[in-house]
Structures are given as structure tokens and as C-alpha cells.
Amino acid sequence: MRAIILVLDMKSILFNDERINCADEFTLADLLQERGLTESRIAVAVNGKVIKRADWAQCTLSENADVVVIEATYGG
């Protein structure tokens, strides 16, 4: 029996100060969905620039991109 090895092109990015790998073709929307962050109470910046929710699906992530997610909380 032969093993099939699937090699995907990967890139390394920073996600809230944690170094992670993701597929080369990942968009910001893909990354957030994979991380379970699709709620309306989040703001996202890539390389210091806030990205509008409407642009998440078109925002491609480059090698070493710095992605910061901020989640709004309630209370006082």
C-alpha cells in the first residue's frame, strides 16, 4: 500500500502575537472562520490597518502578516 502525501504551500503569520501556519491561499475570512471568530463583535487589523468586515473575503494574507483580533466585551 502506498501512502499519499499532500503538500500544501504554507505561510507563517502572526495571529494575536502567536506564530501560526496557514495555507498560502487563505484570506482573512478563511483564517477567522478556521479560528471560530465570525461573530459581529470583533475588529480585525492586518499589519496595523483595520480591515472592514466587507473586505475580509478579499483580504489576502502575506508571509509574516501581523493579524490582530479585538473582541468587544460587555459589562463594567
Side-chain angles (χ1 to χ4, degrees):
M1 178 188 261
R2 289 185 177 186
I4 297 175
I5 299 173
L6 180 61
V7 177
L8 298 175
D9 290 330
M10 302 290 282
K11 60 187 161 199
S12 176
I13 65 169
L14 276 177
F15 182 80
N16 284 355
D17 293 324
E18 175 187 350
R19 176 80 43 199
I20 64 169
N21 292 314
C22 65
D24 269 348
E25 68 275 0
F26 255 31
T27 64
L28 179 58
D30 295 328
L31 176 64
L32 295 173
Q33 183 174 4
E34 179 184 81
R35 294 281 168 156
L37 295 168
T38 57
E39 300 174 18
S40 62
R41 301 180 327 222
I42 63 172
V44 184
V46 177
N47 298 327
K49 180 181 176 196
V50 175
I51 308 298
K52 295 179 188 176
R53 181 178 296 271
D55 296 333
W56 289 359
Q58 291 79 35
C59 180
T60 57
L61 301 171
S62 61
E63 180 76 23
N64 294 314
D66 185 6
V67 180
V68 176
V69 177
I70 300 170
E71 186 172 3
T73 58
Y74 301 101

